[in-house]
Amino acid sequence: MTHPVTLAARHSPRREADATHAAVSQAVLDGVDVGILACDTSGQVTVFNRVCREFHGASSDGSMTDQFAAARLNLYRADGMTPLPFDEMPLGRSLREHEVDGEMVIAPVGLPVRLVTYQGRAILGNRHQVVGAVVVMRDVTEQRAAERRLRENALRDPLTNLPNRLWLFQATEQALREADATGDSVALLFVDLDGFKLVNDDYGHARGDQLLVRAAERLRAAAVDGEPVTRLGGDEFVLLCPGLPSTGRAHPTDLARRIISSLSQPYTVQGHSVTLSASVGIALADDAGLSAEQLVGRADAAMYAAKRAGRSQWALHSGETVTAARAAARIEKRLREALEDGSFEVHYQPIHRLADRVIVGVEALSRLPDGEGGYVSPEEFIPVAEATGLIGRVGETVVRQATRECAAWKQQLGGREFSVGVNLSVRELADPLLVSRMTAALRESGLDPQALVMELTESIFSDSAEHNLVLDELRALGPQLVIDDFGTGYSSLSYLRRFTVDGLKIDRSFVADIANDRGRWVTEAIVAMTLGLGGFVFAEGIETEAQLTALVGMGCVLGQGYLLSRPLPAGAMTALLTAPPRRPAALLTTPPR
Ligand code: C2E
Ligand code: MG
Ligand code: MG
């Protein structure tokens, strides 16, 4: 918006030049987007540009002096409350102090309130005497508001509108310092939704987000003493309980129970009822000088422990939980990477017919490369896979690879009897996709279902009706069911009468003990019982010739162990199966002379 400039009517070259000059100056002054005002030594305003007029709501042809006077009434200090005292007016100060800057608020009646910054300078004549002053003003209202919004947003999670991680760390730090001073304690509750990932996968992220918002509401309602609920990210929330016990709030474990019960009520997603559970880790700041980061880390570790203990539980932090949780978190990361980039491996341990040592099958054993040329033991990563819900993907990878490779080996062996065993974790039975995964693996590989052996541990034979249903469905696919590590579980022989299993695998601890009378008797009894029930018996962990001979003597037909072969990568297994038959042992054992 430019201000019309009126030229003087009388024509004299000098006057005309002056008028042109004034018009150009005015046009320049009005063209800029900062407020500019100037005065002479008496304080009489000589420049009051367009932006200034807009700040003050002055019409373009108003008297500057009057405007200036009127505007004075609408000036406030930067707090927006204290009217600006006369001796703080920027022009006057510039005349006196030569260089000034500051902020003030302009709040003319009926116009938007503006926050402006100003810079004022005295104007010096050719003898360095002050001849006036000029002030430049910038409107920073929007900029400051945006900055404030940014600051607030930086502390808030946009989805749930809960305070975020940054806020949590700041508030926890403050609560800890206060607790140090008062001798109180601070607790953090780390909440993680169990199985949320499945919802995201099954219903999509938008529905997943809705569920998170719903969970956030429930958490806020559960925090009856007004404990702040924050969202750390994903499906992780943290509640802060400061000032324990002096604030008289409920014990954190009560809060944890309330949270678990509230979060496990069904949710409705897309008209479907979805049930989730939650695991809660509690950390109490019991030593002074703890940082917020340490306390959050402890609560996280305790949450992990709660998950490992079977979900839908709470756990209190202790020294061991931290170490265990750190190790588990490392393994989880490695496992995700390996499943993602295809570096997860399946090895095979041959199963021999003990009498003639012919290989009649293999057991598939999963192998997680540790990134340093070795492997993380399944004893370590299977529990982590179970706790994190990754066991489904592990199982799928193993069964697809195992059935495919077994089908190829069977073909190479010309249809000779050959089977592949896969281990099934109890947790997998709870996975609704298990049966369809098995069906797909069998179909895609073309493997005769009879050649697939499912190794289940005794804990699978619980009284859980759901498990039994899944077991029936699995059995209907045609594979053989075998009880693994028999004798180590929480054994109740009654299930052997109720369930039809095709065989038992004697745990290697019995085999290791076979040289002792007691070990031998127990093993003999297990073999006799299984044969009596019409099943077949495997022995695992055969490490010596003596063990093998003893097992054959008892009627144990099949076995595996380091004596016969260690688990091998698929390539080595193929080589072993297709190698020409070994020469009779007698020829090889010519004693050295
Ligand atoms: P398991 O099913 O009882 O497997 C036999 C374990 O004994 C294997 O350990 C094998 O390497 C080991 N072994 C074989 N012969 C001998 C021997 O002569 N002496 C000794 N001391 N050990 C021997 P691994 O591969 O470390 O697997 C450990 C366990 O992890 C397995 O025990 C199984 O329960 C579980 N596991 C392995 N892979 C999977 C999998 O893909 N899914 C599930 N759910 N569990 C698995
Ligand atoms: Mg096994
Ligand atoms: Mg075993």
Side-chain angles (χ1 to χ4, degrees), residues 298-337:
R298 288 183 175 189
D300 186 8
M303 183 282 291
Y304 219 93
K307 264 205 198 294
R308 294 204 334 158
R311 299 163 171 226
S312 201
Q313 316 207 9
W314 56 267
L316 256 171
H317 165 269
S318 75
E320 295 102 71
T321 50
V322 197
T323 337
R326 281 212 193 106
R330 262 198 310 276
I331 291 175
E332 179 187 345
K333 184 164 171 278
R334 198 67 273 290
L335 186 56
R336 283 189 193 280
E337 286 166 2

Side-chain angles (χ1 to χ4, degrees), residues 349 363-367 377-379 381-382 386 391 394-395 398 423-425 428 455 457 484-485 505 507-508 540-543 560-563 565 567:
Q349 185 173 36
E363 173 176 7
L365 295 161
S366 48
R367 292 288 178 265
S377 156
E379 314 267 3
F381 75 76
I382 295 290
E386 290 180 336
I391 190 69
V394 168
V398 172
N423 294 282
L424 269 191
S425 137
E428 280 177 86
E455 300 191 6
T457 52
D484 201 358
D485 305 334
K505 247 192 191 186
D507 188 67
R508 62 172 180 266
E540 63 178 21
I542 305 171
E543 294 182 348
Q560 65 193 96
Y562 295 164
L563 173 71
S565 172

